[in-house]
Amino acid sequence: MTQAPITQDVMTIPRKLPTGGKINLVGLTRDGMRDALIAAGLPEKQGKMRTGQIWAWIYEKGVRTFDVMTNLSKGYRAELAESFEIAVPEVVTRQISEDGTRKYLVRIAGGHEVEVVYIPEKDRGTLCISSQVGCTLTCSFCHTGTQKLVRNLTAGEIIGQVMIARDDLGEWPELAQSPNVEARLLSNIVLMGMGEPLYNFESVRDAMKIAMDPEGISLSRRRITLSTSGVVPEIARTADEIGCMLAVSFHATTDDVRDKLVPINKKWNIEALLDALRAYPKASNSERITFEYVMLNGVNDSDEDAHRLVELIKGIPAKINLIPFNEWPGAPYQRSSNNRIRAFADIVFNAGYSSPVRRPRGEDIMAACGQLKSETERARKSRKEIAAEAGL
Ligand code: SAH
Ligand code: SF4
């Protein structure tokens, strides 16, 4: 079989980058946009209507300039252009894997870079977006955790990743409005890229509210999954203020092992995490919490681990997602064997849980889970530092 070549190119779609001088409308909530328009001189009584019109241009039609907003007067369009901009981050490179996965390297203000991955499947297309540059947490199996430099992304930079992907997929505006959401190329969002979304709560929330807004990108809250390493105090807020699906990076069945793999466990241990999940108001049989479990050879993959896992999560509407470890240069672990993963999955399945094994996608372009890290980032941790933090 001949394999399609990996392509890497610089995107040619014309785009406007944030200039810094003007207020970027991308990322503002509806209320925020209304307030900004009024502060710039719009009569208050027109606030709601104008916001609705501009919102639709930006998030339904995908336009980036005011001059095409034909339901606004020419004079008002010119005024808007003086104070505001409609700007999304810059795509530096796009790589397309032989399996169709696309990885974008995206540059945000300050020159930092984050990665965004689009994964096409038969009945859906999932965009994996980032919430931070790097991550302050240091999970020992995660490539992102080795990256030192961190800043939170703004709401505009988070929803901007979705807009960039739609630009590239050519999904403005007709397809986007298809009543059949399965027909969309971009039908699901997962917050599983770089960063811990619950350490950037407000921006993640505002961006996801924009993605869910029915007069725009219009994705159902059930098509958005937020993955957290276990920031316990923010879990209830996620249900209340975002209402999306929740995934948890569980990865171990004893505090000893979890302390090493997911160091936030030292702050909120397995018991505290499970208590918060039991109380997750949105969890039900139709909206299960996903337990992510990375399979690390000889570390967390024994039969005993599998039995302990199903015992621990008893009573929580859950599905278990087994992730074969994706290796990266210098990683202190190896992937469990296929036989081991199968044996583990069988125990979980026989206990009544669906236990899909996540098929790594885009491996040839290092786009798989936990491999994301901007290669251009200079500040890196050494192997020694990684090993020391993992307590190895
Ligand atoms: N910070 C969040 C979301 C980003 S990571 C979190 O930790 O949940 C998305 C998922 O990929 C998490 O479950 C994470 O534990 C997992 N992951 C990280 N590195 C990985 C690797 N090298 N191989 C497989 N999965 C990995
Ligand atoms: Fe951060 Fe998640 Fe990676 Fe842990 S697994 S270092 S929380 S991105």
Side-chain angles (χ1 to χ4, degrees), residues 141-142 192-193 195 227-229 249 251 292 323 325-326 328 369-370:
F141 55 89
C142 173
M192 294 187 186
S227 174
T228 180
S229 58
S249 292
H251 304 323
E292 298 166 284
I323 316 173
F325 176 55
N326 294 309
W328 37 272
C369 261

Side-chain angles (χ1 to χ4, degrees), residues 22 36 87 140 153 156 288 360 386:
K22 297 178 181 177
S140 50
L153 300 192
R288 292 164 200 262
I386 299 167

Side-chain angles (χ1 to χ4, degrees), residues 128-129 131-132 135 137 139 141-144 191-198 226-230 247-251 262 291-296 323-328 331 335 358 368-372:
C128 178
I129 61 175
S131 56
Q132 298 183 308
C135 185
L137 300 172
C139 303
F141 55 89
C142 173
H143 206 201
T144 307
L191 282 144
M192 294 187 186
M194 297 163 67
E196 169 49 60
L198 295 189
L226 182 153
S227 174
T228 180
S229 58
V248 176
S249 292
F250 206 62
H251 304 323
V262 190
F291 283 74
E292 298 166 284
Y293 199 96
V294 64
M295 298 299 291
L296 303 170
I323 316 173
F325 176 55
N326 294 309
E327 297 186 9
W328 37 272
R335 180 183 289 187
R358 195 183 288 175
C369 261
Q371 290 183 326
L372 303 186

Side-chain angles (χ1 to χ4, degrees), residues 25-89:
L25 291 182
V26 175
L28 298 183
T29 59
R30 269 181 187 269
D31 284 349
M33 192 184 289
R34 185 177 159 272
D35 292 348
L37 296 175
I38 291 168
L42 181 71
E44 219 170 315
K45 59 179 190 322
Q46 291 185 27
K48 195 165 172 217
M49 185 181 73
R50 296 281 173 246
T51 300
Q53 290 170 317
I54 297 169
W55 188 277
W57 283 110
I58 299 176
Y59 296 114
E60 264 181 17
K61 304 202 172 63
V63 310
R64 303 285 148 79
T65 56
F66 295 103
D67 52 5
V68 295
M69 299 186 178
T70 45
N71 53 359
L72 304 176
S73 73
K74 266 206 168 136
Y76 188 49
R77 283 183 250 166
E79 258 176 58
L80 285 170
E82 261 167 45
S83 312
F84 300 106
E85 60 186 354
I86 304 164
V88 297

Side-chain angles (χ1 to χ4, degrees), residues 37 99 165 180 226 352 374:
L37 296 175
D99 69 11
N180 176 8
L226 182 153
S374 35

Side-chain angles (χ1 to χ4, degrees), residues 236-308:
R237 260 183 104 192
T238 305
D240 292 345
E241 296 181 34
I242 310 177
C244 60
M245 307 296 284
L246 188 69
V248 176
S249 292
F250 206 62
H251 304 323
T253 59
T254 64
D255 280 324
D256 261 5
V257 176
R258 196 161 191 272
D259 280 351
K260 292 195 175 87
L261 298 181
V262 190
I264 201 175
N265 195 67
K266 294 180 197 155
K267 205 162 180 182
W268 295 291
N269 65 12
I270 291 180
E271 194 187 340
L273 176 58
L274 290 172
D275 283 347
L277 297 177
R278 274 198 194 90
Y280 194 69
K282 289 261 183 280
S284 67
N285 271 337
S286 62
E287 296 192 25
R288 292 164 200 262
I289 294 173
T290 301
F291 283 74
E292 298 166 284
Y293 199 96
V294 64
M295 298 299 291
L296 303 170
N297 185 29
V299 176
N300 63 354
D301 62 351
S302 68
D303 285 355
E304 291 72 43
D305 280 305
H307 288 297
R308 262 197 305 267

